């Protein structure tokens, strides 16, 4: 017997699916499934993660979507008499064309058909974009079953034939049995249609959670979605296009909507074995999508005199080289042999990696921002290590002067996209985004989605409300959750060992009162109380996707219409498209991500200069201010650093008073040291500066790179330079050596 689940909802069926993708694949692998399909409601939010997770388990991923189909996607006005009637419709991508059409339909559902919380498509779109897709009669909420139930068998057959005419051999009768009386009646008619029109049958389970015992957690999730208490009587025969009966809530019919094993499916469908086996035919028809793609850069227009190669990438590099040396002559006046060697090295790396277009794009919108009066930051992060970026105006920090390394930004031994975070004043940020949209087109620029998940405390609060636990008791439970680490999860709090290797004392560093509190939580979970049930169900629902938001800074710029590349959605909070894939994976999907950050500090500086001009008729150029002004250092020495970015916290003010900085290098070092881990070296740094402790070096050769920081290794650049000098590392290998210095997830030595 062959069987694969082809109708599966995950946590990305927002507040309707409770299935964890990883858990679903573990169960599929253990039960011998050759493939699994993802068919979330109206979206493709989880598709990239789904395909990546499938590879870890050796199970074939099939990408699909359960769409909402309406008569007219453009219709947005409805009344009690004229309702928004939606039908569910499952479609699976058979090949690359099908995947692209799935993306197109899913995107257009949001762009053109969004009404309330439903992205909707219609038959006109299906006729246009059905190639490469497989369709089924879907579930009891689909058009064929609903027509059978409401208008009879004859009308149902007309609807059936419409789909058969569009999809031909890629149309299947899908039978489901969740012990619902209407479903059984529909199945009898569908079997009749299948035999009459020679359409193959498949069977499925409308999977919304992984295991049967997760049914209650899923029901709680539905209550979170609808704002109801679980104690409210459920209307299990309710259809989502009908008015909810007064005093009742939406609920699934029973606990059968889970990822059943093959044996369980055989037990239900043993009388129609071909329905099980035919799922393999669809599995064999469908391709295995490769969603990880090389970055596609927008085509940046360049002057004709630089179009000397057949390859546009090389032409862009020629233009970039021209601009770099033009800028170098302005920045340095006389280009030293050291600067020329550095620029040629960087340009060669950029040429080899094919990223000239990226530099031109960033240079262009930064210049445009400055031209319209937007305040632009001097540069931050590893991009400040690029002399090319400095010469073409992306940054205003000379990396040669400050010994910043290009290899931190672009490693010639590892091909990954550059990452230039750009700071703008708050109001100016939107002006620059508007410029980018105007230049490349609305269909090629998007913001990036973020997923709002149920974290430990929010899961307890949501479940507590649904189970009617008094608010003070719910708050008491959340107060017992440790505050750190920020990414803690209930699995660790409630189930992980307390002592020993990998225990919470060892891994999280919890002790004393924290251990007492989590023991109280564990005792509560074991109790037969409402609070115990809250913790049990919150443990299952933690990580569920509550909704979507918009990444604070990320912007996507594509070389063509985004809906030809990735699925997009819309939001009432934005005028632009929003990607359906989150920032962690968006570049792997083949589009370039750039961070446009709005900083209030730049707004303060901009307003201050305007006031100086207004009140004193003096214009000040921030980029030409001296870095050795004694009065400025006196402000830092007194800790008077309010509203100075990175120096305004009480802790930093305390250390400024102790350090009494006298040079710019002191400020740079303190900014690098004032973070978890290196902060412990600040007292030693201060004592060495003031001569209370001697400046010592482990090896005499280290003085060249550690003298500015009094013998203390502060920067990633110092680690990289020392590894080259002392161990003979190449520039590329030195990057790997230095990266654990700044890695947020802890060191990961691979060599």
């Amino acid at each position: 017997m062959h069987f694969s689940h082809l109708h599966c909802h995950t946590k990305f069926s927002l507040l309707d699916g409770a299935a964890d993708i990883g858990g679903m694949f573990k169960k599929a692998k253990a039960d011998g499934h050759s493939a699994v399909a993802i068919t979330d409601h109206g979206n493709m939010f989880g598709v990239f993660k789904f395909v990546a997770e499938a590879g870890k388990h050796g199970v074939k991923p099939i990408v699909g979507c359960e769409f909402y189909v309406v008569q007219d996607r453009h219709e947005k006005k409805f009344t009690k008499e004229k309702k928004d009637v939606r039908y569910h419709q499952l479609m699976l991508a058979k090949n690359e064309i099908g995947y692209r059409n799935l993306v197109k339909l899913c995107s257009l559902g949001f762009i053109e058909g969004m009404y309330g919380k439903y992205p909707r498509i219609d038959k006109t779109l299906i006729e246009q974009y059905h190639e490469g897709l497989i369709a089924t009669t879907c579930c009891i909420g689909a058009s064929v079953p609903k027509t059978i139930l409401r208008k009879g068998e004859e009308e149902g057959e007309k609807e059936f034939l419409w789909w058969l005419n569009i999809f031909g051999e890629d149309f299947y009768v899908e039978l489901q049995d969740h012990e619902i009386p209407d479903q059984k009646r529909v199945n009898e008619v569908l079997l009749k249609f299948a035999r009459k029109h020679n359409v193959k049958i498949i069977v499925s389970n409308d999977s919304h959670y992984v295991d049967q015992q997760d049914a209650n957690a899923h029901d709680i999730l539905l209550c979170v979605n609808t704002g109801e208490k679980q104690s409210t009587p459920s209307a299990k025969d309710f259809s989502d296009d009908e008015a909810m009966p007064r005093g009742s809530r939406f609920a699934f019919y029973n606990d059968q909507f889970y990822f059943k094993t093959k044996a369980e499916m055989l037990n239900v469908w043993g009388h129609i074995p071909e329905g099980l086996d035919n799922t393999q035919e669809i599995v064999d028809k469908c391709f295995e999508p490769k969603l990880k793609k090389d970055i596609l850069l927008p085509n940046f227009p360049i002057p004709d005199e630089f179009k000397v190669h057949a390859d546009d990438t090389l032409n862009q590099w020629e233009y970039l080289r021209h601009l770099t040396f033009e800028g170098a002559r302005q920045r340095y006046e006389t280009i030293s042999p050291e600067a020329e060697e550095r620029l040629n090295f960087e340009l060669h790396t950029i040429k080899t990696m094919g990223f000239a277009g990226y530099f031109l794009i960033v240079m262009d919108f930064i210049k445009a921002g400055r031209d319209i009066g937007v305040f632009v930051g001097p540069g931050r992060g590893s991009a400040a290590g690029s002399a090319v970026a400095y010469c073409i105006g992306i940054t205003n920090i000379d990396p040669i002067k400050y010994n910043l390394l290009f290899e931190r930004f672009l490693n010639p031994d590892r091909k990954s996209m550059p990452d230039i975070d750009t700071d703008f004043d708050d109001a100016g940020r939107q002006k620059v985004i508007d410029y980018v949209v105007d230049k490349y087109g609305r269909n090629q620029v998007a913001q990036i989605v973020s997923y709002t998940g149920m974290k430990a405390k929010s899961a307890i609060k949501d479940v507590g409300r649904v189970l009617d636990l008094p608010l003070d008791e719910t708050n008491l439970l959340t107060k017992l959750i440790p505050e750190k680490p920020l990414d803690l999860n209930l699995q660790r709090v409630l189930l992980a060992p307390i002592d020993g290797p990998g225990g919470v004392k060892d891994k999280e560093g919890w002790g004393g009162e924290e251990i007492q509190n989590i023991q109280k939580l564990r005792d509560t979970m074991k109790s037969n109380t409402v609070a115990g049930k809250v913790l049990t169900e919150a443990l299952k629902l933690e990580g569920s996707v509550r909704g979507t938001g918009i990444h604070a800074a990320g912007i996507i710029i594509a070389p063509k219409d985004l809906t030809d590349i990735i699925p997009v959605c819309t939001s009432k909070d934005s005028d632009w498209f929003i990607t359906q894939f989150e920032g962690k994976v968006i570049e792997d999907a083949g589009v370039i991500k750039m961070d446009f950050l709005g900083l209030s500090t730049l707004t303060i500086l901009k307003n201050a200069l305007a006031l100086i001009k207004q009140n004193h008729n003096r214009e000040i150029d921030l980029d030409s201010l001296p870095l050795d002004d004694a009065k400025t250092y006196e402000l830092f020495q007194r800790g008077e650093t309010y509203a100075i970015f990175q120096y305004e916290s009480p802790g930093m003010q305390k250390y400024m008073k102790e350090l009494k900085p006298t040079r710019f290098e002191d400020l740079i070092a303190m900014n690098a040291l004032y973070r978890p881990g290196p902060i412990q070296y600040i007292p030693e740094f201060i004592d060495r500066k003031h001569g209370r402790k001697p400046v010592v070096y482990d090896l005499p050769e280290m003085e060249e790179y550690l003298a500015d920081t009094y013998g203390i290794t502060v920067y990633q650049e110092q680690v990289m330079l020392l590894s080259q000098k002392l161990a003979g590392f190449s520039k590329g290998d030195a990057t790997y050596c230095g990266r654990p210095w700044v890695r947020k997830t802890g060191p990961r030595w691979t060599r």
Side-chain angles (χ1 to χ4, degrees):
M1 186 266 286
H2 296 285
F3 174 75
S4 292
H5 278 285
L6 301 178
H7 195 133
C8 302
H9 298 277
T10 74
K11 290 181 177 182
F12 291 95
S13 281
L14 306 182
L15 296 180
D16 185 31
D20 174 71
I21 289 175
M24 189 166 66
F25 274 114
K26 284 178 185 174
K27 186 170 184 179
K29 180 68 174 177
D31 196 45
H33 292 252
S34 62
V36 175
I38 182 172
T39 56
D40 281 319
H41 280 303
N43 72 67
M44 295 175 70
F45 293 135
V47 163
F48 204 95
K49 181 178 181 180
F50 177 85
V51 172
E53 190 70 25
K56 299 176 186 177
H57 299 272
V59 177
K60 181 177 179 178
I62 295 173
V63 175
C65 181
E66 186 170 349
F67 290 98
Y68 297 107
V69 180
V70 295
Q71 184 175 355
D72 181 0
R73 68 188 186 277
H74 297 293
E75 180 62 56
K76 306 289 173 68
K77 294 180 180 179
F78 300 99
T79 63
K80 287 184 179 180
E81 293 73 31
K82 181 187 176 184
K83 296 176 181 176
D84 180 31
V85 179
R86 296 176 301 277
Y87 300 106
H88 295 197
Q89 182 56 52
L90 184 137
M91 294 187 214
L92 305 172
K94 185 170 69 168
N95 49 36
E96 185 65 39
I97 294 173
Y99 178 78
R100 290 201 297 269
N101 280 333
L102 199 75
V103 167
K104 183 69 77 171
L105 287 169
C106 191
S107 300
L108 291 173
F110 283 94
I111 296 168
E112 297 181 357
M114 193 69 180
Y115 178 72
K117 62 180 180 179
Y118 299 103
R120 310 166 311 154
I121 62 173
D122 55 24
K123 288 182 175 179
T124 302
L125 282 180
I126 293 169
E127 287 174 332
Q128 188 175 353
Y129 295 110
H130 69 274
E131 185 181 355
L133 292 173
I134 293 171
T136 72
T137 53
C138 197
C139 60
I140 198 171
S143 63
V144 175
K146 273 190 172 182
T147 304
I148 291 169
L149 290 171
R150 293 175 179 176
K151 297 182 179 179
E153 189 173 323
E154 184 178 344
E155 290 300 312
E157 186 170 15
K158 291 179 183 177
E159 182 68 19
F160 180 89
L161 290 173
W162 185 90
W163 292 93
L164 179 59
N165 182 57
I166 294 291
F167 288 92
E169 293 183 353
D170 290 326
F171 182 58
Y172 291 81
V173 165
E174 180 178 354
L175 303 179
Q176 296 182 341
D177 187 355
H178 302 94
E179 301 172 8
I180 303 171
D182 277 352
Q183 205 169 51
K184 293 182 182 295
R185 289 198 294 273
V186 165
N187 285 348
E188 291 177 7
V189 178
L190 289 176
L191 281 169
K192 203 183 294 184
F193 290 170
R195 296 189 187 101
K196 180 177 179 181
H197 299 287
N198 197 28
V199 176
K200 291 183 178 178
I201 298 164
I202 64 165
V203 298
S204 73
N205 212 60
D206 196 355
S207 171
H208 281 71
Y209 39 94
V210 177
D211 297 310
Q212 190 172 10
Q213 57 263 36
D214 297 333
N216 190 54
H218 177 257
D219 190 50
I220 291 170
L221 192 70
L222 297 178
C223 291
V224 173
N225 187 5
T226 57
E228 292 286 353
K229 302 283 181 68
Q230 196 175 32
S231 56
T232 303
S234 60
K236 295 185 176 180
D237 294 320
F238 163 74
S239 173
D240 65 3
D241 60 337
E242 297 172 351
M244 176 68 69
R246 187 182 296 274
S248 61
R249 68 174 177 86
F250 173 64
F252 277 33
Y253 198 82
N254 52 32
D255 63 358
Q256 295 299 302
F257 294 80
Y258 65 98
F259 195 92
K260 292 186 175 181
T261 63
K262 286 184 174 184
E264 288 172 317
M265 291 299 291
L266 181 62
N267 185 53
V268 175
W269 295 106
H271 61 294
I272 308 179
E274 69 272 23
L276 297 162
D277 290 329
N278 284 341
T279 62
Q280 187 61 41
E281 179 178 302
I282 292 180
V283 169
D284 293 339
K285 273 186 178 184
C286 290
F287 83 134
E288 187 167 341
K290 306 295 182 187
L291 300 188
K292 193 169 183 177
K293 294 179 170 63
D294 290 337
I295 292 287
L296 297 170
L297 287 169
N299 184 38
F300 186 84
I302 63 173
D304 289 341
E305 61 262 34
F306 297 99
K307 297 177 181 178
V308 294
H309 304 283
D311 186 344
D312 284 339
T313 303
L314 291 178
N315 292 332
Q316 290 177 341
W317 180 84
E318 294 286 357
Y319 186 47
L320 176 65
R321 184 179 184 280
H322 166 76
L323 293 175
T324 298
F325 280 98
E326 283 287 308
R329 280 185 276 274
Q330 295 176 27
R331 293 287 199 184
Y332 299 118
E333 293 185 2
T334 301
I335 303 175
S336 67
E338 178 192 10
E340 185 173 3
E341 181 183 358
R342 171 68 172 264
L343 291 172
N344 283 327
F345 166 72
E346 290 192 18
L347 286 166
H348 174 73
T349 303
I350 293 167
K351 180 181 182 180
T352 302
M353 301 179 81
F355 291 151
Y358 179 91
F359 281 80
L360 294 173
I361 291 164
V362 177
M363 174 204 70
D364 177 67
F365 66 67
I366 286 179
K367 181 180 182 301
R370 290 196 177 109
D371 288 346
I372 58 177
V374 175
F375 249 49
V376 182
R380 70 155 85 190
S382 61
S386 171
V388 169
Y390 174 62
C391 290
I392 65 175
I394 290 176
T395 62
N396 269 340
I397 301 164
D398 183 358
I400 299 174
K401 178 179 178 181
Y402 293 105
N403 218 11
L404 303 178
L405 301 184
F406 178 70
E407 297 78 47
R408 270 197 65 193
F409 176 54
L410 272 187
N411 183 347
D413 294 344
R414 177 181 58 88
K415 186 163 186 176
S416 63
M417 282 305 298
D419 185 14
I420 300 177
D421 294 340
T422 312
D423 299 324
F424 304 100
D425 67 82
D426 291 315
R429 175 181 181 268
Q430 189 58 52
K431 293 179 182 177
V432 178
I433 293 175
D434 290 342
Y435 169 81
V436 171
V437 171
D438 289 341
K439 184 178 184 76
Y440 296 100
R442 184 176 183 273
N443 289 351
Q444 292 179 220
V445 179
Q447 292 177 283
I448 300 172
V449 76
S450 61
Y451 306 132
T452 308
M454 282 190 188
K455 295 187 177 180
K457 291 185 179 182
S458 63
I460 292 172
K461 288 179 180 179
D462 278 331
V463 176
R465 183 190 59 75
V466 171
L467 295 186
D468 220 4
L469 184 69
L471 183 60
D472 58 340
E473 292 186 44
T474 301
N475 290 337
L476 181 61
L477 292 178
T478 60
K479 287 177 181 177
L480 293 174
I481 300 289
E483 292 300 322
K484 294 182 179 180
L486 295 176
D487 60 347
L488 68 78
N489 60 68
L490 288 176
Q491 189 79 20
R492 296 289 298 172
V493 172
L494 298 174
L495 300 178
I498 290 177
D499 297 300
V504 297
K505 287 183 179 179
D506 173 51
K507 188 172 181 181
E508 279 81 6
W510 295 336
E513 187 179 356
E514 291 167 326
I515 296 298
Q516 293 176 17
N517 288 342
I518 67 171
Q519 193 58 60
K520 289 179 185 177
L521 288 168
R522 294 178 182 203
D523 292 341
T524 301
M525 189 170 73
K526 294 174 185 175
S527 67
N528 188 25
T529 62
V530 176
K533 292 177 183 176
V534 166
L535 291 175
T536 299
E537 302 302 340
L539 182 62
K540 294 178 181 178
L541 290 177
E542 183 186 29
S544 295
V545 182
R546 260 185 142 274
T548 61
I550 302 173
H551 188 284
I555 298 291
I556 293 300
I557 306 174
K560 57 183 178 179
D561 190 322
L562 271 162
T563 63
D564 292 332
I565 306 171
I566 57 170
V568 300
C569 59
T570 57
S571 168
K572 65 182 187 306
D573 299 321
S574 175
D575 294 329
W576 318 122
F577 293 160
I578 302 162
T579 66
Q580 289 192 35
F581 297 156
E582 65 178 336
K584 294 177 183 176
V585 301
I586 195 66
E587 288 190 347
D588 286 339
V591 289
I592 191 169
K593 167 182 169 286
M594 297 181 180
D595 285 334
F596 290 53
L597 299 137
L599 284 190
S600 59
T601 305
L602 289 176
T603 304
I604 292 170
L605 288 171
K606 182 178 183 179
N607 293 339
L609 293 187
L611 288 171
I612 292 169
K613 171 66 174 173
Q614 176 184 312
N615 297 329
H616 303 283
N617 198 30
R618 289 186 61 188
E619 292 192 4
I620 295 176
D621 178 12
L622 293 180
D623 292 326
S624 63
L625 291 176
L627 299 181
D628 58 356
D629 181 67
K631 290 186 178 180
T632 302
Y633 286 107
E634 288 172 9
L635 287 174
F636 281 95
Q637 291 163 10
R638 295 194 299 268
E640 296 175 5
T641 54
Y642 179 73
I644 299 178
F645 186 54
Q646 303 276 29
Y647 294 90
E648 59 185 333
S649 69
M652 180 64 95
Q653 289 173 342
K654 168 183 174 290
Y655 284 127
M656 284 289 110
K657 293 175 185 178
E658 295 176 8
L659 177 67
K660 299 195 180 304
T662 55
R663 57 190 188 135
F664 195 56
E665 286 76 11
D666 291 343
L667 298 178
I668 299 171
M670 283 298 291
N671 190 30
L673 287 169
Y674 193 73
R675 61 195 66 212
I679 196 171
Q680 63 183 303
Y681 298 110
I682 289 180
E684 179 76 14
F685 183 87
I686 293 172
D687 286 342
R688 290 190 182 190
K689 172 179 172 60
H690 294 295
R692 293 189 289 267
K693 288 186 178 181
V695 175
V696 294
Y697 304 96
D698 293 335
L699 295 170
E701 293 86 353
M702 301 174 77
E703 182 175 359
E704 178 185 357
Y705 297 125
L706 300 186
D708 282 344
T709 54
Y710 311 109
I712 297 172
T713 308
V714 175
Y715 310 118
Q716 184 179 356
E717 282 84 357
Q718 291 173 319
V719 178
M720 294 166 62
L721 289 167
L722 288 171
S723 68
Q724 293 174 59
K725 181 174 183 177
L726 301 178
F729 278 32
S730 70
K731 290 182 177 181
D733 284 342
T735 306
Y736 290 102
C737 184
R739 196 173 301 125
W741 217 249
V742 295
R743 185 182 293 278
K744 295 178 182 177
T745 56
R748 187 183 301 161
W749 298 100
T750 57
R751 302 190 181 197

